[in-house]
Amino acid sequence: MTVKLSISVPDDVAAYLQGRGNVSAAVTEAVRRVLPEARRARQRAAAQAYGEYLRGLTAQQLADDRALVESSNEVALRDAQW
């Protein structure tokens, strides 16, 4: 599926795109190069936030969280045929 968009770009970008045979392909290629880095940046930020959260927990809270995960896994896997 494709979506038609109308965008405004700076003059230098417009000149570059006008020199390309397929503007849509050029824009798609450029954006796809940026997407993985943006995803990695979000993942790093989430991991950092989670680490900060974990460092703020007491030993009892960590033990309680572990017990909750284990009991949830027990319920989820009950009667599972592996």
Coordinates of all heavy atoms in Angstrom, one line a residue:
M1 N 0.8 -1.2 0.0 CA 0.0 0.0 0.0 C 0.9 1.2 0.0 O 2.0 1.3 0.6 CB -0.9 0.0 1.2 CG -1.7 1.2 1.2 SD -2.9 1.6 2.6 CE -2.8 0.4 3.8
T2 N 0.5 2.2 -0.7 CA 1.2 3.5 -0.7 C 0.2 4.6 -0.3 O -1.0 4.5 -0.4 CB 1.8 3.8 -2.0 OG1 0.8 3.9 -3.0 CG2 2.8 2.8 -2.4
V3 N 0.8 5.7 0.2 CA 0.0 6.9 0.5 C 0.6 8.1 -0.1 O 1.8 8.3 -0.1 CB 0.0 7.1 2.1 CG1 -0.7 8.4 2.4 CG2 -0.6 5.9 2.8
K4 N -0.2 8.9 -0.8 CA 0.3 10.1 -1.4 C 0.4 11.2 -0.4 O -0.6 11.5 0.3 CB -0.6 10.5 -2.6 CG -0.1 11.7 -3.4 CD -0.9 11.9 -4.6 CE -0.4 13.1 -5.3 NZ 0.0 12.8 -6.7
L5 N 1.6 11.9 -0.3 CA 1.8 13.0 0.6 C 2.2 14.2 -0.1 O 2.9 14.1 -1.1 CB 2.8 12.6 1.7 CG 2.6 11.4 2.6 CD1 3.8 11.1 3.4 CD2 1.4 11.7 3.5
S6 N 1.9 15.3 0.4 CA 2.4 16.6 -0.1 C 3.2 17.2 1.0 O 2.7 17.4 2.1 CB 1.2 17.5 -0.5 OG 1.7 18.8 -0.8
I7 N 4.5 17.5 0.7 CA 5.4 18.1 1.8 C 6.1 19.3 1.3 O 6.2 19.5 0.1 CB 6.4 17.0 2.2 CG1 7.3 16.6 1.1 CG2 5.8 15.8 2.9 CD1 8.5 15.8 1.5
S8 N 6.6 20.1 2.2 CA 7.4 21.2 1.8 C 8.8 20.9 2.3 O 9.0 20.4 3.5 CB 6.9 22.5 2.5 OG 5.6 22.8 2.1
V9 N 9.8 21.2 1.5 CA 11.2 20.9 1.9 C 12.0 22.2 1.6 O 11.7 23.0 0.7 CB 11.8 19.7 1.1 CG1 11.1 18.4 1.5 CG2 11.7 19.9 -0.4
P10 N 13.2 22.3 2.2 CA 14.1 23.4 1.9 C 14.6 23.4 0.4 O 14.5 22.4 -0.2 CB 15.3 23.2 2.8 CG 14.8 22.3 3.9 CD 13.7 21.5 3.3
D11 N 15.0 24.5 -0.1 CA 15.4 24.7 -1.5 C 16.5 23.6 -1.9 O 16.4 23.1 -3.0 CB 15.9 26.1 -1.8 CG 14.8 27.1 -1.7 OD1 13.6 26.7 -1.8 OD2 15.1 28.3 -1.5
D12 N 17.5 23.4 -1.0 CA 18.6 22.5 -1.4 C 18.1 21.1 -1.5 O 18.5 20.3 -2.4 CB 19.7 22.6 -0.4 CG 19.3 22.3 1.0 OD1 18.2 22.5 1.4 OD2 20.2 21.8 1.7
V13 N 17.1 20.7 -0.6 CA 16.6 19.4 -0.7 C 15.7 19.2 -1.9 O 15.7 18.2 -2.6 CB 15.8 19.1 0.6 CG1 15.0 17.7 0.5 CG2 16.7 19.1 1.8
A14 N 14.9 20.3 -2.2 CA 14.1 20.2 -3.4 C 14.9 20.1 -4.7 O 14.6 19.3 -5.6 CB 13.2 21.5 -3.5
A15 N 16.0 20.8 -4.8 CA 16.9 20.7 -5.9 C 17.5 19.3 -6.1 O 17.5 18.8 -7.2 CB 18.1 21.8 -5.8
Y16 N 17.9 18.7 -5.0 CA 18.4 17.4 -5.0 C 17.3 16.4 -5.5 O 17.6 15.6 -6.4 CB 18.9 17.0 -3.6 CG 19.3 15.5 -3.6 CD1 20.5 15.0 -4.1 CD2 18.4 14.6 -3.0 CE1 20.8 13.7 -4.0 CE2 18.7 13.2 -2.9 CZ 19.9 12.8 -3.5 OH 20.2 11.4 -3.4
L17 N 16.1 16.5 -4.9 CA 15.1 15.6 -5.3 C 14.6 15.8 -6.8 O 14.3 14.8 -7.4 CB 13.9 15.8 -4.4 CG 14.1 15.3 -2.9 CD1 12.9 15.7 -2.1 CD2 14.3 13.8 -2.9
Q18 N 14.6 17.0 -7.2 CA 14.2 17.2 -8.6 C 15.3 16.6 -9.6 O 14.9 16.2 -10.7 CB 14.1 18.7 -8.9 CG 12.8 19.3 -8.2 CD 12.8 20.8 -8.3 OE1 13.8 21.5 -8.5 NE2 11.6 21.3 -8.0
G19 N 16.5 16.5 -9.1 CA 17.5 15.8 -10.0 C 17.4 14.3 -10.0 O 18.1 13.7 -10.8
R20 N 16.6 13.8 -9.1 CA 16.5 12.3 -9.0 C 15.4 11.9 -10.0 O 14.4 12.6 -10.2 CB 16.1 11.9 -7.6 CG 17.1 12.2 -6.5 CD 18.4 11.4 -6.7 NE 18.1 10.0 -6.5 CZ 18.6 9.2 -5.6 NH1 19.3 9.7 -4.6 NH2 18.3 7.9 -5.6
G21 N 15.5 10.7 -10.5 CA 14.4 10.2 -11.4 C 13.1 9.9 -10.7 O 12.1 10.2 -11.2
N22 N 13.3 9.3 -9.5 CA 12.1 8.9 -8.8 C 12.1 9.5 -7.4 O 12.8 9.0 -6.5 CB 12.0 7.4 -8.7 CG 10.8 6.8 -8.1 OD1 10.1 7.5 -7.4 ND2 10.5 5.6 -8.4
V23 N 11.4 10.6 -7.2 CA 11.5 11.3 -6.0 C 10.9 10.5 -4.8 O 11.5 10.4 -3.7 CB 10.7 12.6 -6.1 CG1 10.6 13.3 -4.7 CG2 11.3 13.6 -7.1
S24 N 9.9 9.7 -5.1 CA 9.3 8.9 -4.0 C 10.3 7.8 -3.5 O 10.5 7.6 -2.3 CB 8.1 8.1 -4.5 OG 7.0 9.1 -4.8
A25 N 11.1 7.2 -4.4 CA 12.1 6.2 -4.1 C 13.2 6.9 -3.3 O 13.7 6.3 -2.3 CB 12.6 5.6 -5.3
A26 N 13.6 8.1 -3.7 CA 14.7 8.8 -2.9 C 14.3 9.1 -1.5 O 15.0 8.9 -0.6 CB 15.1 10.0 -3.7
V27 N 13.1 9.6 -1.3 CA 12.6 10.0 0.0 C 12.4 8.7 0.8 O 12.8 8.7 2.0 CB 11.2 10.8 -0.1 CG1 10.6 10.9 1.3 CG2 11.5 12.1 -0.8
T28 N 11.8 7.7 0.3 CA 11.6 6.4 1.0 C 13.0 5.8 1.4 O 13.1 5.4 2.6 CB 10.9 5.4 0.1 OG1 9.6 5.9 -0.2 CG2 10.7 4.1 0.8
E29 N 14.0 5.8 0.6 CA 15.3 5.3 0.9 C 15.9 6.1 2.1 O 16.4 5.6 3.0 CB 16.2 5.4 -0.3 CG 17.6 4.9 -0.1 CD 18.5 5.1 -1.3 OE1 17.9 5.0 -2.4 OE2 19.7 5.4 -1.1
A30 N 15.8 7.4 2.0 CA 16.4 8.3 3.1 C 15.7 8.1 4.4 O 16.3 7.9 5.5 CB 16.3 9.8 2.7
V31 N 14.4 8.0 4.4 CA 13.6 7.8 5.6 C 13.9 6.4 6.2 O 14.1 6.3 7.4 CB 12.1 8.0 5.4 CG1 11.3 7.6 6.6 CG2 11.8 9.5 5.1
R32 N 14.0 5.4 5.4 CA 14.2 4.0 5.9 C 15.6 3.9 6.5 O 15.8 3.1 7.4 CB 14.1 3.0 4.8 CG 12.6 2.8 4.5 CD 12.4 1.6 3.6 NE 11.0 1.3 3.4 CZ 10.4 0.8 2.4 NH1 11.1 0.5 1.3 NH2 9.1 0.6 2.4
R33 N 16.6 4.8 6.1 CA 17.9 4.8 6.7 C 17.8 5.3 8.1 O 18.5 4.9 9.0 CB 18.9 5.6 5.9 CG 19.5 4.8 4.8 CD 20.7 5.6 4.2 NE 20.3 6.9 3.8 CZ 20.2 7.3 2.5 NH1 20.4 6.5 1.5 NH2 19.8 8.6 2.2
V34 N 16.8 6.2 8.4 CA 16.7 6.8 9.7 C 15.9 6.0 10.7 O 16.1 6.0 11.9 CB 16.0 8.2 9.5 CG1 15.7 8.8 10.9 CG2 16.9 9.1 8.7
L35 N 14.9 5.2 10.1 CA 14.0 4.4 11.0 C 14.7 3.5 12.0 O 14.4 3.5 13.2 CB 13.0 3.7 10.1 CG 12.0 4.5 9.5 CD1 11.1 3.6 8.6 CD2 11.1 5.2 10.5
P36 N 15.7 2.7 11.6 CA 16.3 1.8 12.5 C 17.0 2.5 13.7 O 17.0 2.1 14.8 CB 17.4 1.0 11.7 CG 16.9 1.1 10.3 CD 16.2 2.4 10.2
E37 N 17.7 3.6 13.4 CA 18.3 4.4 14.5 C 17.3 5.0 15.4 O 17.5 5.0 16.6 CB 19.2 5.5 13.9 CG 19.9 6.3 14.9 CD 20.8 5.5 15.9 OE1 21.4 4.5 15.4 OE2 20.8 5.8 17.1
A38 N 16.2 5.5 14.9 CA 15.1 6.0 15.8 C 14.6 4.9 16.7 O 14.4 5.1 17.9 CB 14.0 6.6 15.0
R39 N 14.4 3.7 16.2 CA 13.9 2.6 17.0 C 15.0 2.2 18.0 O 14.6 2.0 19.2 CB 13.6 1.4 16.1 CG 13.0 0.2 16.9 CD 12.7 -1.0 16.0 NE 13.9 -1.6 15.4 CZ 14.0 -1.9 14.2 NH1 13.0 -1.7 13.3 NH2 15.1 -2.4 13.7
R40 N 16.3 2.2 17.6 CA 17.3 1.9 18.6 C 17.3 2.9 19.7 O 17.5 2.6 20.9 CB 18.7 1.7 17.9 CG 18.8 0.4 17.3 CD 20.3 0.2 16.9 NE 20.8 1.1 15.9 CZ 20.6 0.9 14.5 NH1 20.0 -0.1 14.1 NH2 21.1 1.8 13.7
A41 N 17.1 4.2 19.4 CA 17.1 5.3 20.3 C 16.0 5.1 21.3 O 16.1 5.3 22.5 CB 17.0 6.6 19.7
R42 N 14.8 4.7 20.8 CA 13.7 4.5 21.7 C 13.9 3.3 22.6 O 13.6 3.3 23.8 CB 12.4 4.2 20.9 CG 11.8 5.5 20.3 CD 10.4 5.2 19.7 NE 10.3 4.1 18.8 CZ 10.6 4.1 17.5 NH1 10.9 5.2 16.9 NH2 10.4 3.0 16.8
Q43 N 14.5 2.2 22.1 CA 14.8 1.0 22.9 C 15.9 1.4 24.0 O 15.7 0.9 25.1 CB 15.4 -0.1 22.0 CG 14.3 -0.7 21.1 CD 14.9 -1.7 20.1 OE1 16.0 -1.6 19.7 NE2 14.1 -2.6 19.7
R44 N 16.9 2.2 23.6 CA 17.9 2.6 24.6 C 17.2 3.4 25.7 O 17.5 3.2 26.9 CB 19.0 3.4 24.0 CG 20.0 2.5 23.3 CD 21.3 3.3 22.9 NE 21.0 4.4 22.0 CZ 21.0 4.3 20.7 NH1 21.2 3.2 20.1 NH2 20.7 5.4 19.9
A45 N 16.4 4.3 25.3 CA 15.7 5.1 26.3 C 14.8 4.3 27.3 O 14.8 4.5 28.5 CB 14.9 6.2 25.7
A46 N 14.1 3.3 26.7 CA 13.3 2.4 27.5 C 14.1 1.6 28.4 O 13.7 1.4 29.6 CB 12.4 1.5 26.6
A47 N 15.2 1.1 28.0 CA 16.1 0.3 28.8 C 16.7 1.1 29.9 O 16.8 0.7 31.1 CB 17.2 -0.3 28.0
Q48 N 17.1 2.3 29.6 CA 17.6 3.2 30.6 C 16.5 3.5 31.7 O 16.8 3.5 32.9 CB 18.1 4.6 30.0 CG 18.6 5.6 30.9 CD 19.9 5.1 31.6 OE1 20.7 4.4 30.9 NE2 20.2 5.6 32.7
A49 N 15.3 3.8 31.3 CA 14.2 4.1 32.2 C 13.9 2.9 33.1 O 13.7 3.0 34.3 CB 13.0 4.6 31.5
Y50 N 13.9 1.7 32.5 CA 13.7 0.5 33.2 C 14.8 0.2 34.2 O 14.5 -0.1 35.4 CB 13.5 -0.7 32.3 CG 13.2 -2.0 33.0 CD1 12.0 -2.1 33.7 CD2 14.0 -3.1 33.0 CE1 11.6 -3.2 34.4 CE2 13.7 -4.2 33.7 CZ 12.5 -4.3 34.3 OH 12.1 -5.5 35.0
G51 N 16.0 0.5 33.8 CA 17.2 0.3 34.8 C 17.1 1.3 35.9 O 17.3 0.9 37.1
E52 N 16.7 2.5 35.7 CA 16.5 3.5 36.7 C 15.4 3.1 37.7 O 15.5 3.2 38.9 CB 16.3 4.9 36.1 CG 17.5 5.5 35.5 CD 17.2 6.7 34.7 OE1 16.0 7.2 34.8 OE2 18.1 7.2 34.0
Y53 N 14.3 2.5 37.1 CA 13.2 2.0 37.9 C 13.7 0.9 38.8 O 13.4 0.9 40.0 CB 12.1 1.6 37.0 CG 11.1 0.7 37.7 CD1 10.1 1.3 38.6 CD2 11.0 -0.7 37.5 CE1 9.2 0.5 39.2 CE2 10.1 -1.5 38.1 CZ 9.2 -0.9 39.0 OH 8.3 -1.7 39.6
L54 N 14.4 -0.1 38.2 CA 14.9 -1.2 39.0 C 15.8 -0.8 40.1 O 15.8 -1.3 41.3 CB 15.5 -2.2 38.2 CG 14.6 -3.1 37.3 CD1 15.4 -4.0 36.4 CD2 13.6 -3.8 38.1
R55 N 16.7 0.2 39.9 CA 17.6 0.6 40.9 C 16.9 1.3 42.1 O 17.4 1.3 43.2 CB 18.7 1.6 40.3 CG 19.7 0.9 39.5 CD 20.9 1.8 39.0 NE 20.5 2.8 38.1 CZ 20.4 2.6 36.8 NH1 20.6 1.4 36.3 NH2 20.0 3.6 36.0
G56 N 15.7 1.8 41.8 CA 15.0 2.4 42.9 C 14.2 1.5 43.7 O 13.6 1.9 44.8
L57 N 14.1 0.2 43.4 CA 13.3 -0.8 44.1 C 14.1 -1.3 45.3 O 15.3 -1.5 45.2 CB 12.9 -1.9 43.2 CG 11.9 -1.6 42.1 CD1 11.6 -2.9 41.3 CD2 10.7 -1.0 42.6
T58 N 13.4 -1.6 46.4 CA 14.0 -2.3 47.5 C 14.2 -3.7 47.2 O 13.6 -4.3 46.3 CB 13.2 -2.1 48.8 OG1 11.9 -2.8 48.6 CG2 12.9 -0.6 49.1
A59 N 15.0 -4.4 48.0 CA 15.2 -5.9 47.9 C 13.8 -6.6 48.0 O 13.6 -7.6 47.3 CB 16.2 -6.4 48.9
Q60 N 13.0 -6.2 48.9 CA 11.7 -6.8 49.1 C 10.8 -6.6 47.8 O 10.1 -7.5 47.4 CB 10.9 -6.3 50.3 CG 9.6 -6.9 50.6 CD 9.7 -8.4 50.8 OE1 10.6 -8.9 51.5 NE2 8.9 -9.2 50.1
Q61 N 10.8 -5.4 47.3 CA 10.0 -5.1 46.1 C 10.5 -6.0 44.9 O 9.7 -6.5 44.1 CB 10.1 -3.7 45.7 CG 9.3 -2.8 46.6 CD 9.5 -1.3 46.4 OE1 10.7 -0.9 46.1 NE2 8.5 -0.5 46.4
L62 N 11.8 -6.1 44.8 CA 12.4 -7.0 43.7 C 11.9 -8.4 43.9 O 11.6 -9.1 42.9 CB 13.9 -6.9 43.7 CG 14.5 -5.6 43.1 CD1 16.0 -5.6 43.3 CD2 14.2 -5.5 41.6
A63 N 12.0 -8.9 45.2 CA 11.6 -10.3 45.4 C 10.1 -10.5 45.1 O 9.7 -11.5 44.6 CB 11.9 -10.6 46.9
D64 N 9.3 -9.5 45.5 CA 7.8 -9.6 45.2 C 7.6 -9.6 43.7 O 6.7 -10.3 43.2 CB 7.1 -8.4 45.9 CG 7.1 -8.4 47.4 OD1 7.3 -9.5 47.9 OD2 6.8 -7.4 48.0
D65 N 8.3 -8.7 43.0 CA 8.1 -8.7 41.5 C 8.5 -10.1 40.9 O 7.8 -10.6 40.0 CB 9.0 -7.6 40.9 CG 8.4 -6.3 41.0 OD1 7.2 -6.1 41.5 OD2 9.0 -5.3 40.5
R66 N 9.6 -10.6 41.4 CA 10.1 -11.9 40.9 C 9.0 -13.0 41.2 O 8.7 -13.8 40.3 CB 11.4 -12.3 41.5 CG 12.4 -12.8 40.5 CD 13.8 -13.0 41.2 NE 14.6 -11.8 41.1 CZ 15.0 -11.2 42.2 NH1 14.8 -11.6 43.4 NH2 15.7 -10.1 42.1
A67 N 8.4 -13.0 42.4 CA 7.4 -14.0 42.7 C 6.2 -13.8 41.9 O 5.6 -14.8 41.4 CB 7.1 -13.8 44.2
L68 N 5.8 -12.6 41.6 CA 4.6 -12.3 40.7 C 4.9 -12.9 39.3 O 4.0 -13.5 38.7 CB 4.4 -10.8 40.7 CG 3.2 -10.4 39.7 CD1 1.9 -11.0 40.2 CD2 3.1 -8.9 39.6
V69 N 6.1 -12.6 38.8 CA 6.4 -13.1 37.4 C 6.3 -14.7 37.4 O 5.8 -15.3 36.5 CB 7.8 -12.6 36.9 CG1 8.2 -13.3 35.7 CG2 7.7 -11.1 36.7
E70 N 6.9 -15.3 38.4 CA 7.0 -16.7 38.5 C 5.6 -17.3 38.6 O 5.2 -18.3 37.9 CB 7.8 -17.2 39.7 CG 9.3 -17.0 39.4 CD 9.8 -17.8 38.2 OE1 9.4 -18.9 38.0 OE2 10.6 -17.2 37.5
S71 N 4.7 -16.7 39.4 CA 3.4 -17.2 39.6 C 2.5 -17.0 38.3 O 1.7 -17.8 37.9 CB 2.7 -16.6 40.8 OG 2.5 -15.2 40.7
S72 N 2.8 -15.9 37.6 CA 2.1 -15.6 36.4 C 2.5 -16.6 35.3 O 1.7 -17.1 34.6 CB 2.4 -14.2 35.8 OG 1.9 -13.2 36.7
N73 N 3.8 -16.9 35.3 CA 4.3 -17.9 34.3 C 3.7 -19.3 34.7 O 3.3 -20.1 33.8 CB 5.8 -18.0 34.4 CG 6.5 -16.9 33.8 OD1 5.8 -16.1 33.0 ND2 7.8 -16.7 34.0
E74 N 3.6 -19.6 35.9 CA 3.0 -20.9 36.4 C 1.5 -21.0 35.9 O 1.1 -22.0 35.3 CB 3.0 -21.0 37.9 CG 2.7 -22.3 38.4 CD 3.8 -23.3 38.1 OE1 5.0 -23.0 38.0 OE2 3.4 -24.5 38.1
V75 N 0.8 -19.9 36.0 CA -0.6 -19.9 35.6 C -0.7 -20.0 34.0 O -1.4 -20.8 33.5 CB -1.3 -18.6 36.0 CG1 -2.7 -18.5 35.4 CG2 -1.5 -18.7 37.5
A76 N 0.2 -19.2 33.3 CA 0.2 -19.2 31.9 C 0.6 -20.6 31.3 O 0.1 -20.9 30.2 CB 1.1 -18.1 31.4
L77 N 1.5 -21.3 31.9 CA 2.0 -22.5 31.4 C 1.3 -23.7 31.9 O 1.6 -24.9 31.4 CB 3.5 -22.6 31.6 CG 4.3 -21.5 31.0 CD1 5.8 -21.6 31.4 CD2 4.2 -21.5 29.5
R78 N 0.4 -23.6 32.8 CA -0.3 -24.7 33.3 C -1.0 -25.5 32.2 O -1.6 -24.9 31.3 CB -1.3 -24.3 34.4 CG -2.0 -25.5 35.1 CD -2.9 -25.1 36.3 NE -2.0 -24.5 37.3 CZ -2.3 -23.3 37.9 NH1 -3.4 -22.7 37.6 NH2 -1.5 -22.8 38.8
D79 N -0.9 -26.8 32.2 CA -1.4 -27.6 31.2 C -0.9 -27.4 29.8 O -1.5 -27.9 28.8 CB -3.0 -27.5 31.2 CG -3.6 -28.0 32.5 OD1 -3.1 -29.0 33.1 OD2 -4.6 -27.3 32.9
A80 N 0.2 -26.7 29.7 CA 0.8 -26.5 28.3 C 1.5 -27.7 27.9 O 2.2 -28.4 28.7 CB 1.8 -25.3 28.4
Q81 N 1.3 -28.1 26.7 CA 2.0 -29.3 26.2 C 3.2 -28.9 25.4 O 3.1 -28.3 24.4 CB 1.1 -30.1 25.3 CG -0.2 -30.6 26.0 CD 0.1 -31.6 27.1 OE1 0.9 -32.4 26.9 NE2 -0.6 -31.5 28.2
W82 N 4.4 -29.2 25.9 CA 5.6 -28.8 25.2 C 6.1 -29.9 24.4 O 6.5 -30.8 24.5 CB 6.7 -28.3 26.2 CG 6.2 -27.0 26.9 CD1 5.6 -26.9 28.1 CD2 6.4 -25.7 26.4 NE1 5.4 -25.6 28.3 CE2 5.8 -24.8 27.3 CE3 6.9 -25.2 25.2 CZ2 5.7 -23.5 27.1 CZ3 6.8 -23.8 25.0 CH2 6.3 -23.0 26.0

